[in-house]
Amino acid sequence: MKRWIPLLACLFPMLAHAASEWPLHGLDTGNQRLSPITAVEPGNVGKLVPKWIWQSGVVGTFQATPIVVDGVMYVSLPFSHVAALDAATGRELWRYQHKKRVEKICCGPANRGVAVSGGRVFVGTVDARLVALDAKSGKVIWDIEVAPQLDNTESKASLAAGDGNAKANVTGSSGVGIAAAPMVFEDKVIVGVTGVGYGLHLDSPRPGTPLGAVIGLPGNYGGIGFLAAYDVASGERRWRFDTVKSPEDGGWEGEYLARTPDGVPLNRDIKAEKKLARERADAWKYGGGSVWNVAAIDAQTGRLFFGVGNPSPQMNDSGRPGDNLYTSSLVALDVRTGKYVWHWQQVPHDLWGYDLASAPVLFDAEVKGKLVPAVGHASKLGWFYVHDRRDGTLLWKSEAFVPQDNLFARATKEGVRITPGGAGGANWSPVALDAQRKLAFVAAMHMPMRYSLGEIPAEGGKPAQPYFTLEPIDEPRWGVLAAIDLSKQGKLAWTVKTPQPLIGGVLALASGVVFTGEGDGHLSAFDAKDGKRLWQFQCGAGVNAPPIAYEAGGKPVVAVAAGGSAIWGYPQGDAVIAFGLPE
């Protein structure tokens, strides 16, 4: 019998769910990732042991949130394959093998999860398709193209002679795919495209070290990102919202803001940008604006909230004047029509890769003694932003949960040290939120980066052109698990420093336990009260995916994908591991 927790519905006007399931990417439509399970609590979490381990045989960057419905776990694998497992035993029930239509994918093999609804499983693919599968057999019901492939991608051949990065391997560049998990609401499946402003990503020259250089080249790279809704029965598109504001809609240049909306100087040369605008009226056609994570939905009002990626070319503004709307923004839409409601741009004219990669989370915030419907976002900048979800007004932002230095410094020939830098802060890792304890839990990283300016020499009548390089500095880096006090307008309740930068996500239990994984292979549990580490298990490969919790046979289970991440240099694997209490 399914055990429903009325308290969740009381504290949060989204959809409550049974403890026996994990039916949505963020557990509920508001992405709170708070399981109602109480049988695993601070006093006994140290007794957790592996109950089963399933290995897919597909080794690669593994970022998926498993979905559990009616005793079946559905998990997307690298390269967009999908498997169905018995959630109690890990026995494989069926597998879908995706046959991608392109050899070169833009942004790596990772997939962040599936959506399950009405006997169907939906997966977005590395080659920008949306596939509906039969939940019982894995057979394809429909398979549609969400976006055509791009042919305008960056190449290291454009680098200046003598640039040491010219010898590095290319790991990715602008293209089009789907990494974000789909979201089903009513009769629509909603998903966005990624990679349309990815930039030139290179391998690190030092094996086993995270992230090589990211280079922003001048030119017309990428395309226009979008979020779209498709009919669950037929796959027919119902609406599409472009993340780049077209001239017909008022243009993407915006107001040429000298500061962020919360008042931080951006160090822009606005006079030069406005002059350039006359020459680059078509820059919006290549504007970027990927959608890297799942949307949040207020089921009562029919509002959808999602984050938008950086503009294109990434980090290079030599050809894209203006604020570059709606990139690096939190956007609200009408979920049934896709119509624009509001946006709040964290970083106008983003030059640093500070895009909104983490999934938004919905909750009720207390402001001056009154509850306000709110949407929160853990940013790459190192702040947790909280907005009134009715109109986007910024209610407050948290204390910084990672060190900050030269956030919006412009690149120099010598190179300037910035942190967080384009890696974050909070990258794509989803947060967990405990409304009863009034805490939001954020997985973040401290990874200082050097931002430098190069020049492609003049040649063949073409003038010299700048390019920008962002790369990690060889100095200490670490992770931060932060608890943000929602009752004190973002004061930090506690932080825990971890040996490895945190990239993967957070799970919270109603009992007061918080889980997150590390790239060195550890899955750890912490006390929600004070951050004390209560339990740790070595999973054998990087735990760079969000954990989940559910019940099987009336007993609690915590499960996570352990498959590492190539871009961060973490050991890769192919396992899903389920933990439970001893019999």
Side-chain angles (χ1 to χ4, degrees):
M1 180 176 174
K2 294 181 178 180
R3 181 163 58 93
W4 292 88
I5 307 297
L7 177 61
L8 286 181
C10 228
L11 291 171
F12 189 66
M14 300 299 121
L15 299 178
H17 291 291
S20 60
E21 300 192 329
W22 190 281
L24 300 172
H25 185 270
L27 181 59
D28 53 54
T29 57
N31 291 332
Q32 288 196 357
R33 304 188 72 87
L34 176 72
S35 169
I37 284 175
T38 57
V40 175
E41 40 84 21
N44 66 10
V45 67
K47 298 179 181 179
L48 285 178
V49 294
K51 290 295 185 177
W52 56 258
I53 300 173
W54 173 79
Q55 293 180 280
S56 71
V58 181
V59 177
T61 300
F62 203 178
Q63 298 177 346
T65 291
I67 299 298
V68 178
V69 176
D70 292 334
V72 179
M73 176 184 288
Y74 303 91
V75 59
S76 61
L77 307 178
F79 301 102
S80 311
H81 310 310
V82 180
L85 314 176
D86 183 314
T89 66
R91 180 175 63 90
E92 185 172 319
L93 303 176
W94 56 254
R95 185 182 298 213
Y96 162 71
Q97 295 283 130
H98 182 65
K99 296 179 175 61
K100 63 182 189 297
R101 289 161 172 77
V102 294
E103 286 304 312
K104 186 178 180 181
I105 54 178
C106 70
C107 323
N111 186 284
R112 291 179 182 151
V114 300
V116 179
S117 180
R120 299 186 179 195
V121 180
F122 303 92
V123 61
T125 72
V126 290
D127 51 347
R129 304 189 70 81
L130 183 62
V131 182
L133 308 172
D134 184 280
K136 290 185 178 179
S137 66
K139 292 182 178 179
V140 175
I141 298 173
W142 50 257
D143 177 344
I144 62 164
E145 180 184 82
V146 173
Q149 295 301 309
L150 300 173
D151 58 7
N152 54 338
T153 62
E154 297 90 340
S155 166
K156 65 180 182 179
S158 300
L159 298 179
D163 190 320
N165 286 307
K167 297 180 181 179
N169 292 324
V170 175
T171 61
S173 58
S174 287
V176 61
I178 299 174
M183 176 71 127
V184 174
F185 184 76
E186 295 176 349
D187 59 348
K188 300 176 182 66
V189 54
I190 300 161
V191 74
V193 297
T194 52
V196 289
Y198 194 58
L200 183 65
H201 284 56
L202 303 176
D203 273 341
S204 170
R206 299 182 299 279
T209 57
L211 197 67
V214 181
I215 299 178
L217 293 170
N220 295 331
Y221 301 113
I224 296 175
F226 60 87
L227 188 77
Y230 301 85
D231 186 278
V232 294
S234 66
E236 182 181 353
R237 193 172 77 195
R238 295 303 186 193
W239 56 255
R240 166 174 160 162
F241 177 83
D242 288 344
T243 55
V244 173
K245 193 176 182 183
S246 70
E248 291 77 13
D249 195 30
W252 82 323
E253 292 81 8
E255 299 177 17
Y256 290 85
L257 297 174
R259 295 172 177 267
T260 64
D262 49 319
V264 185
L266 286 166
N267 300 312
R268 293 171 66 175
D269 187 344
I270 291 175
K271 183 177 180 181
E273 285 184 45
K274 288 184 175 180
K275 181 179 179 182
L276 180 64
R278 293 190 289 270
E279 305 168 19
R280 289 308 316 271
D282 65 341
W284 67 277
K285 296 179 180 179
Y286 313 94
S290 295
V291 180
W292 289 105
N293 224 317
V294 71
I297 296 173
D298 184 331
Q300 285 192 339
T301 64
R303 295 275 176 89
L304 173 151
F305 307 87
F306 72 107
V308 183
N310 53 264
S312 182
Q314 183 176 16
M315 302 183 320
N316 193 319
D317 68 343
S318 60
R320 54 167 173 85
D323 296 342
N324 308 141
L325 298 172
Y326 299 104
T327 62
S328 299
S329 297
L330 183 66
V331 177
L333 307 178
D334 183 305
V335 68
R336 295 180 177 91
T337 65
K339 298 296 184 184
Y340 169 90
V341 178
W342 58 258
H343 80 278
W344 201 91
Q345 192 171 34
Q346 278 184 17
V347 187
H349 195 73
D350 184 1
L351 271 170
W352 306 270
Y354 287 135
D355 50 318
L356 278 66
S358 181
V361 58
L362 307 186
F363 63 102
D364 289 339
E366 188 173 334
V367 180
K368 297 180 179 179
K370 295 182 179 180
L371 288 180
V372 176
V375 51
H377 178 261
S379 73
K380 284 188 174 183
L381 296 167
W383 291 301
F384 184 73
Y385 290 85
V386 176
H387 302 265
D388 187 324
R389 64 177 182 258
R390 295 169 297 189
D391 59 11
T393 298
L394 181 66
L395 299 173
W396 47 264
K397 68 180 184 183
S398 74
E399 293 180 323
F401 47 77
V402 291
Q404 295 171 320
D405 189 27
N406 294 325
L407 279 179
F408 300 120
R410 293 191 72 90
T412 65
K413 290 182 179 180
E414 300 77 19
V416 59
R417 179 187 182 277
I418 63 173
T419 185
N427 201 285
W428 66 268
S429 307
V431 307
L433 189 142
D434 187 327
Q436 187 174 16
R437 290 179 175 83
K438 296 181 172 60
L439 293 174
F441 305 102
V442 178
M445 63 181 78
H446 171 65
M447 186 182 292
M449 309 193 86
R450 180 174 290 107
Y451 191 30
S452 55
L453 178 65
E455 186 176 80
I456 301 171
E459 185 179 4
K462 293 183 179 180
Q465 292 183 294
Y467 66 92
F468 302 80
T469 302
L470 189 67
E471 53 192 334
I473 298 173
D474 189 14
E475 62 176 76
R477 53 179 68 98
W478 59 80
V480 175
L481 179 64
I484 295 168
D485 192 328
L486 304 176
S487 68
K488 297 180 180 178
Q489 298 203 333
K491 296 288 184 182
L492 296 179
W494 52 259
T495 62
V496 173
K497 184 177 177 180
T498 62
Q500 297 290 330
L502 293 183
I503 183 76
V506 189
L507 160 70
L509 304 185
S511 61
V513 181
V514 178
F515 292 86
T516 195
E518 297 178 61
D520 63 4
H522 283 108
L523 176 66
S524 297
F526 302 84
D527 194 318
K529 178 178 61 178
D530 55 15
K532 180 182 178 181
R533 194 188 297 265
L534 303 171
W535 172 85
Q536 191 174 66
F537 185 88
Q538 175 54 250
C539 295
V543 182
N544 304 118
I548 66 165
Y550 60 96
E551 288 181 347
K555 297 178 181 179
V557 179
V558 173
V560 73
S565 177
I567 194 172
W568 303 107
Y570 295 139
Q572 296 178 77
D574 66 346
V576 175
I577 306 177
F579 301 89
L581 296 171
E583 298 296 331

